[in-house]
Amino acid sequence: MRQSLISPNDRIIFGHPTIGKSFLKNKGDNRFISLDDDYASEINKMVKEIADKNKVTNSQVKNGGNEIWNKEYNEEMQKLFNTAKQRAENENKTLFTSNTNLLKNNLSSFDKIINLTDEEFEKRIAERGAKYDVKQWKEQINEVISKANTSKVITTNKYLSDLLNQPTEIKPNEV
Protein backbone atom coordinates (compact mmCIF):
# COMPACT_ATOMS: atom_id res chain seq x y z
CA MET A 1 0.00 0.00 0.00
CA ARG A 2 1.41 3.39 -0.97
CA GLN A 3 1.33 5.98 1.78
CA SER A 4 3.27 9.04 2.79
CA LEU A 5 5.56 8.57 5.72
CA ILE A 6 4.10 11.73 7.15
CA SER A 7 0.44 12.31 6.41
CA PRO A 8 -1.57 15.53 6.63
CA ASN A 9 -3.24 14.03 9.72
CA ASP A 10 0.11 13.94 11.56
CA ARG A 11 -0.07 17.22 13.47
CA ILE A 12 2.66 16.93 16.10
CA ILE A 13 5.94 15.31 15.15
CA PHE A 14 9.25 14.83 16.91
CA GLY A 15 11.78 15.62 14.20
CA HIS A 16 15.09 14.20 15.36
CA PRO A 17 17.89 16.79 15.70
CA THR A 18 19.70 17.09 12.34
CA ILE A 19 16.72 15.75 10.36
CA GLY A 20 16.60 18.93 8.25
CA LYS A 21 13.84 21.10 9.72
CA SER A 22 16.05 24.19 9.81
CA PHE A 23 17.32 23.51 6.29
CA LEU A 24 13.77 23.49 4.92
CA LYS A 25 12.80 26.56 6.94
CA ASN A 26 15.84 28.43 5.63
CA LYS A 27 14.74 27.48 2.09
CA GLY A 28 11.40 29.19 2.80
CA ASP A 29 9.32 26.05 3.37
CA ASN A 30 6.20 27.22 5.17
CA ARG A 31 4.24 23.93 5.14
CA PHE A 32 4.98 23.30 8.80
CA ILE A 33 5.85 25.03 12.04
CA SER A 34 9.20 24.26 13.64
CA LEU A 35 9.34 25.11 17.32
CA ASP A 36 13.15 25.26 17.09
CA ASP A 37 13.17 27.67 14.15
CA ASP A 38 9.92 29.63 14.20
CA TYR A 39 10.34 30.35 17.91
CA ALA A 40 14.15 30.65 17.92
CA SER A 41 14.15 34.30 19.06
CA GLU A 42 11.85 33.55 21.99
CA ILE A 43 13.86 30.46 22.96
CA ASN A 44 17.22 32.24 22.75
CA LYS A 45 15.95 35.18 24.80
CA MET A 46 14.48 32.89 27.44
CA VAL A 47 17.65 30.78 27.66
CA LYS A 48 19.81 33.89 28.05
CA GLU A 49 17.57 35.28 30.78
CA ILE A 50 17.64 32.01 32.73
CA ALA A 51 21.41 31.68 32.27
CA ASP A 52 22.06 35.25 33.38
CA LYS A 53 19.76 34.95 36.39
CA ASN A 54 21.44 31.73 37.55
CA LYS A 55 24.98 32.68 36.48
CA VAL A 56 25.36 29.61 34.27
CA THR A 57 26.00 29.09 30.55
CA ASN A 58 23.31 28.75 27.91
CA SER A 59 24.37 25.12 27.46
CA GLN A 60 23.88 24.42 31.14
CA VAL A 61 20.34 25.79 30.96
CA LYS A 62 19.43 23.29 28.23
CA ASN A 63 21.48 20.26 29.29
CA GLY A 64 18.59 18.21 30.62
CA GLY A 65 19.75 18.10 34.24
CA ASN A 66 17.65 18.62 37.33
CA GLU A 67 19.02 21.97 38.44
CA ILE A 68 16.58 24.80 38.96
CA TRP A 69 17.59 26.43 35.68
CA ASN A 70 16.85 23.23 33.72
CA LYS A 71 13.43 22.98 35.35
CA GLU A 72 12.66 26.60 34.53
CA TYR A 73 13.80 26.08 30.93
CA ASN A 74 11.60 22.98 30.57
CA GLU A 75 8.59 24.80 32.00
CA GLU A 76 9.07 27.70 29.60
CA MET A 77 9.59 25.31 26.66
CA GLN A 78 6.34 23.55 27.57
CA LYS A 79 4.53 26.89 27.42
CA LEU A 80 6.04 27.61 24.00
CA PHE A 81 5.14 24.11 22.83
CA ASN A 82 1.53 24.65 23.88
CA THR A 83 1.47 27.99 22.06
CA ALA A 84 2.98 26.44 18.93
CA LYS A 85 0.50 23.52 19.04
CA GLN A 86 -2.38 26.00 19.09
CA ARG A 87 -0.84 27.97 16.23
CA ALA A 88 -0.36 24.79 14.19
CA GLU A 89 -3.98 23.89 14.76
CA ASN A 90 -5.19 27.38 13.82
CA GLU A 91 -3.05 27.41 10.65
CA ASN A 92 -3.81 23.76 9.77
CA LYS A 93 -0.10 22.87 9.82
CA THR A 94 2.10 20.24 11.37
CA LEU A 95 4.28 21.16 14.35
CA PHE A 96 7.82 19.76 14.53
CA THR A 97 10.12 19.87 17.53
CA SER A 98 13.40 18.17 18.34
CA ASN A 99 13.24 18.85 22.08
CA THR A 100 13.65 15.51 23.85
CA ASN A 101 12.07 16.72 27.10
CA LEU A 102 8.97 17.85 25.24
CA LEU A 103 8.76 14.42 23.63
CA LYS A 104 9.22 12.74 27.01
CA ASN A 105 6.66 14.90 28.79
CA ASN A 106 4.08 14.84 25.97
CA LEU A 107 4.72 11.43 24.40
CA SER A 108 1.08 10.58 23.77
CA SER A 109 0.56 13.92 21.96
CA PHE A 110 2.97 13.04 19.16
CA ASP A 111 1.55 11.57 15.98
CA LYS A 112 4.93 10.56 14.55
CA ILE A 113 8.46 10.33 15.86
CA ILE A 114 11.29 10.55 13.36
CA ASN A 115 14.33 8.75 14.69
CA LEU A 116 17.72 8.77 13.00
CA THR A 117 19.95 5.75 13.40
CA ASP A 118 22.77 6.20 15.90
CA GLU A 119 25.39 6.14 13.14
CA GLU A 120 23.61 8.71 10.98
CA PHE A 121 23.05 11.04 13.93
CA GLU A 122 26.71 10.84 14.97
CA LYS A 123 27.79 11.50 11.37
CA ARG A 124 25.55 14.55 11.00
CA ILE A 125 26.56 16.01 14.36
CA ALA A 126 30.25 15.48 13.51
CA GLU A 127 29.69 17.32 10.21
CA ARG A 128 28.42 20.27 12.26
CA GLY A 129 31.63 20.25 14.29
CA ALA A 130 30.01 19.42 17.62
CA LYS A 131 32.30 19.07 20.60
CA TYR A 132 29.89 17.48 23.10
CA ASP A 133 29.00 13.91 24.05
CA VAL A 134 26.90 12.84 21.06
CA LYS A 135 26.58 9.23 22.24
CA GLN A 136 25.06 10.27 25.57
CA TRP A 137 22.68 12.67 23.83
CA LYS A 138 21.56 9.95 21.39
CA GLU A 139 21.12 7.48 24.27
CA GLN A 140 18.77 9.96 25.97
CA ILE A 141 16.76 10.37 22.75
CA ASN A 142 16.62 6.59 22.21
CA GLU A 143 15.47 6.00 25.78
CA VAL A 144 12.48 8.30 25.32
CA ILE A 145 11.64 6.92 21.87
CA SER A 146 11.74 3.35 23.24
CA LYS A 147 8.66 4.21 25.33
CA ALA A 148 6.62 5.30 22.30
CA ASN A 149 4.12 3.23 20.37
CA THR A 150 6.26 1.64 17.63
CA SER A 151 3.62 2.39 14.99
CA LYS A 152 4.44 6.09 15.46
CA VAL A 153 8.21 5.72 15.04
CA ILE A 154 9.96 6.25 11.70
CA THR A 155 13.58 5.12 11.94
CA THR A 156 15.51 6.43 8.98
CA ASN A 157 18.72 7.82 7.51
CA LYS A 158 16.76 10.22 5.30
CA TYR A 159 16.14 13.93 5.63
CA LEU A 160 12.81 15.56 6.39
CA SER A 161 12.50 16.76 2.79
CA ASP A 162 12.55 13.11 1.67
CA LEU A 163 9.98 12.07 4.24
CA LEU A 164 7.58 14.90 3.44
CA ASN A 165 7.71 14.50 -0.32
CA GLN A 166 7.96 10.82 -1.13
CA PRO A 167 5.30 8.16 -0.75
CA THR A 168 6.46 4.74 0.29
CA GLU A 169 5.28 1.17 0.36
CA ILE A 170 7.22 0.53 3.57
CA LYS A 171 5.68 0.50 7.02
CA PRO A 172 6.63 3.71 8.90
CA ASN A 173 8.79 1.97 11.51
CA GLU A 174 10.85 0.16 8.84
CA VAL A 175 12.23 3.04 6.77
Side-chain angles (χ1 to χ4, degrees), residues 7-8 34 36 45 56 61 75 80-81 103 105 122 126 129:
S7 81
S34 167
D36 309 332
K45 179 181 177 200
V56 296
V61 170
E75 289 169 6
L80 273 177
F81 180 68
L103 178 63
N105 296 329
E122 289 176 28

Side-chain angles (χ1 to χ4, degrees), residues 48-109:
K48 182 176 178 354
E49 287 173 359
I50 294 170
D52 290 350
K53 179 171 72 175
N54 292 284
K55 296 178 178 45
V56 296
T57 67
N58 290 358
S59 295
Q60 286 175 294
V61 170
K62 302 189 305 185
N63 81 358
N66 290 317
E67 293 84 359
I68 190 151
W69 51 84
N70 301 126
K71 290 178 181 177
E72 185 177 353
Y73 167 73
N74 288 326
E75 289 169 6
E76 293 301 317
M77 286 301 296
Q78 184 65 51
K79 289 176 190 173
L80 273 177
F81 180 68
N82 293 339
T83 298
K85 280 193 323 186
Q86 186 61 53
R87 177 179 163 204
E89 185 178 314
N90 292 345
E91 295 180 15
N92 197 27
K93 292 182 179 179
T94 299
L95 171 63
F96 283 88
T97 183
S98 62
N99 184 299
T100 308
N101 282 326
L102 290 175
L103 178 63
K104 178 181 176 182
N105 296 329
N106 301 276
L107 193 58
S108 65
S109 297

Side-chain angles (χ1 to χ4, degrees), residues 17 25 33 35 43-44 54 76 94 99 110 116 130-131 136 162 164:
K25 279 296 181 176
I33 295 170
L35 184 68
I43 293 169
N44 292 337
N54 292 284
E76 293 301 317
T94 299
N99 184 299
F110 284 82
L116 288 176
K131 307 261 190 275
Q136 181 183 17
D162 301 318
L164 287 174

Side-chain angles (χ1 to χ4, degrees), residues 136-162:
Q136 181 183 17
W137 183 13
K138 181 62 171 137
E139 286 172 6
Q140 291 170 350
I141 294 169
N142 289 344
E143 182 181 338
V144 174
I145 291 174
S146 74
K147 295 177 176 128
N149 180 328
T150 57
S151 68
K152 294 181 175 188
V153 179
I154 301 168
T155 299
T156 186
N157 287 336
K158 296 181 184 230
Y159 285 93
L160 183 57
S161 57
D162 301 318

